[in-house]
Amino acid sequence: MTHVLHRSIAHRYPTAVSAKGIFIRDETGKEYIDASGGAAVSCLGHSHPDIIAGMRAQLDKLEYAHTSFFSSQAAEELADDLVAHAPDGLGRAFFVSGGSEAIEAALKLARQYFVERGEPQRRFLIARRQSYHGVTLGALAVGGREWQRRAFAPLLIETHHVSPVYEYRERRGDETAEAYGERLAEELNAEIEELGGANVIAFVAETVVGATMGAVPAVPGYFKRVREICDRYGILLILDEVMCGMGRTGTLHACEQEGVSPDILAIAKGLGGGYAPIGAILLQERIFKTIAEGSGAFQHSHTYTGHPLACAAALAVQRVIRRDDLLANVREQGAHLARRLQERFGNHPFVGNVRGRGLFQGLEIVADRGTKEPFDPQRKMNARIKREAMARGLMVYPMGGTVDGISGDHVLLAPPFIIDSGAIDTIVERLGEAIDAAIDG
Ligand SMILES: Cc1ncc(COP(=O)(O)O)c(C=O)c1O
């Protein structure tokens, strides 16, 4: 009997009791390789002594101070650190406690910016189908996972969804990757024209799509065209790097590889690496200036905004990543992981596509490699793979609804930045066995 309302009420979850490095142990002593960092969170692995030391030092000084009374050294230093390494023009940071909160803050900041600029008619949001931006009502509204939105639809703010970048299934045979990206950018442009360019607040997109599709990057040139289109109509570009950001793809921010800088960047997960709940938005100086010279206050805050312990944890995580040059390891081991996945699954009859960037890789599971036909969702292939992987002491992040929100299955891998090639080989071997067992079973 449990009094916890667990995610899945019928499911019996093992209890995690300890963790170190890439491993988590449950109450029976069974050990799991954490090859997904939970949900792409634990970027430094578990129980890192330098993060714990940083958090202890903060606790010894100041555990909490409300931001309506005080700033804190931890929040100031973290903001300095993030701005110093941010894409062009992102000059301020606002701290929250997670990814959904970061998206809520981004949406409200974008709306307030236009109200203060004298453009209160801007009320529409545009986002993409098959995206995930979180579960709070604003984040759910922009999210493009249909089944998750359905029950709450009457409560959601008006958002218009355009196609995601999904090269594996949606690029036509006679189209180059660039032409495909151009077609998608044109679709966005047409949607904006339909709504009236002066009525749109923002376009929201994950730079590399995570939970809903399994590490799907954009095609070359897509985000540059999106940036141009947004600029043409004065629409803000909000990039959601809650999952794919903070080093996961091999650069601190995934948008660095796209050659664009957003107006607002949402980050979380790898920011604190799971040591504390923390998220943030980074915003362009011009948005800050509009509000600073207007009302003088962002009309949005939480009790735990800028929590000193969470900021200290995030600061320690970011310093360790730089000190140990871990982004170089993400790139090197990311390439090894991609290679090993290709070797093991490149001709696998039930794996249609291997994709990703850095230590953010995904496999799309199909019933037929030739036709790309997905498995019947009734077979719950993603749940089977998760079960078989856990049985083999492996945590990966499988999910269903890859193709259209209902059918399709994928497996997401997001191992910690401290991983070595031997551990990656073990992950790929166990994953292969788990997928084979799930399909046979
Ligand atoms: C891209 C993206 N945005 C937002 C969120 C929501 O973050 P959280 O679960 O911390 O609220 C997630 C979580 O998986 C995510 O992957």
Side-chain angles (χ1 to χ4, degrees):
M1 164 71 179
T2 173
H3 291 103
V4 176
L5 175 54
H6 286 287
R7 281 180 176 245
S8 169
I9 293 170
H11 187 75
R12 285 180 56 85
Y13 295 88
T15 301
V17 292
S18 65
K20 186 132 197 78
I22 66 168
F23 298 103
I24 295 194
R25 261 175 224 95
D26 71 15
E27 82 278 25
T28 68
K30 181 168 177 169
E31 200 167 66
Y32 306 81
I33 299 179
D34 186 358
S36 60
V41 173
S42 303
C43 58
L44 292 185
H46 300 275
S47 207
H48 195 296
D50 297 330
I51 314 307
I52 292 168
M55 293 177 75
R56 277 215 180 101
Q58 181 62 45
L59 269 181
D60 286 341
K61 285 190 292 198
L62 172 73
E63 86 297 342
Y64 174 70
H66 193 275
T67 50
S68 72
F69 299 92
F70 296 105
S71 183
S72 70
Q73 196 185 344
E76 295 292 340
E77 286 184 22
L78 179 60
D80 289 348
D81 187 278
L82 292 174
V83 166
H85 300 94
D88 267 2
L90 296 172
R92 309 279 159 161
F94 178 80
F95 296 116
V96 291
S97 301
S100 302
E101 282 189 14
I103 295 297
E104 296 294 328
L107 299 178
K108 283 184 70 184
L109 181 69
R111 167 70 189 165
Q112 191 183 333
Y113 166 68
F114 284 119
V115 170
E116 301 215 4
R117 272 173 62 90
E119 297 181 66
Q121 81 288 353
R122 286 196 189 258
R123 65 189 187 284
F124 297 124
L125 295 163
I126 305 180
R128 301 189 300 184
R129 290 190 290 279
Q130 293 303 93
S131 58
Y132 182 67
H133 297 294
V135 291
T136 50
L137 292 175
L140 196 59
V142 287
R145 207 185 227 171
E146 224 18 72
W147 63 266
Q148 214 164 23
R149 302 172 87 251
R150 203 169 301 135
F152 306 97
L155 310 184
L156 303 181
I157 47 176
E158 184 167 347
T159 305
H160 298 258
H161 290 88
V162 294
S163 302
V165 182
Y166 192 4
E167 195 179 4
Y168 168 59
R169 287 185 184 275
E170 294 182 4
R171 174 160 75 84
R172 291 197 291 252
D174 61 353
E175 217 172 22
T176 62
E178 287 77 8
Y180 170 52
E182 183 59 38
R183 172 159 65 87
L184 295 177
E186 272 314 309
E187 182 188 336
L188 171 64
N189 195 60
E191 186 66 37
I192 293 171
E193 284 285 327
E194 173 88 20
L195 297 169
N199 297 326
V200 177
I201 298 173
F203 176 58
V204 186
E206 292 166 81
T207 316
V208 179
V209 180
T212 45
M213 292 170 78
V216 179
V219 289
Y222 169 79
F223 273 111
K224 280 208 166 123
R225 287 288 292 121
V226 164
R227 178 74 271 182
E228 281 165 21
I229 291 166
C230 288
D231 289 345
R232 188 183 315 147
Y233 299 96
I235 293 167
L236 299 186
L237 174 60
I238 299 175
L239 289 184
D240 180 348
E241 298 203 359
V242 164
M243 192 179 250
C244 65
M246 301 317 291
R248 173 69 40 212
T249 64
T251 48
L252 187 60
H253 303 291
C255 59
E256 291 171 41
Q257 295 174 52
E258 305 299 334
V260 298
S261 186
D263 297 294
I264 303 175
L265 182 66
I267 53 178
K269 298 185 189 272
L271 173 61
Y275 289 85
I278 184 164
I281 53 170
L282 304 179
L283 50 134
Q284 286 285 339
E285 205 55 18
R286 111 185 110 80
I287 299 177
F288 169 78
K289 256 186 100 191
T290 300
I291 292 175
E293 291 166 6
S295 68
F298 178 28
Q299 292 172 35
H300 188 78
S301 64
H302 298 275
T303 299
Y304 295 124
T305 295
H307 193 289
L309 185 60
C311 289
L315 189 59
V317 168
Q318 299 315 309
R319 285 179 174 161
V320 165
I321 288 173
R322 266 199 308 282
R323 182 197 69 194
D324 297 349
D325 197 14
L326 289 176
L327 296 190
N329 199 53
V330 173
R331 290 189 289 271
E332 189 184 323
Q333 295 306 331
H336 181 70
L337 176 60
R339 201 165 42 243
R340 292 289 294 108
L341 290 173
Q342 278 297 347
E343 282 165 15
R344 179 66 176 83
F345 301 108
N347 291 309
H348 193 287
F350 302 110
V351 176
N353 188 231
V354 180
R355 64 237 178 173
R357 290 223 173 122
L359 285 175
F360 197 44
Q361 297 284 326
L363 305 179
E364 186 159 335
I365 309 298
V366 288
D368 184 317
R369 230 182 119 76
T371 63
K372 304 184 183 176
E373 176 76 20
F375 277 101
D376 180 345
Q378 301 293 334
R379 286 193 68 183
K380 294 191 166 42
M381 203 49 80
N382 60 88
R384 286 173 188 237
I385 294 171
K386 185 170 179 179
R387 202 167 47 240
E388 294 293 348
M390 289 284 277
R392 289 163 176 77
L394 178 68
M395 288 164 59
V396 289
Y397 202 59
M399 201 64 80
T402 319
V403 178
D404 53 9
I406 297 159
S407 60
D409 302 270
H410 65 261
V411 179
L412 185 65
L413 291 126
F417 302 175
I418 54 165
I419 198 95
D420 60 37
S421 53
I424 284 176
D425 294 347
T426 307
I427 290 168
V428 173
E429 192 184 310
R430 288 187 195 178
L431 179 59
E433 288 169 10
I435 290 176
D436 290 345
I439 286 162
D440 290 345

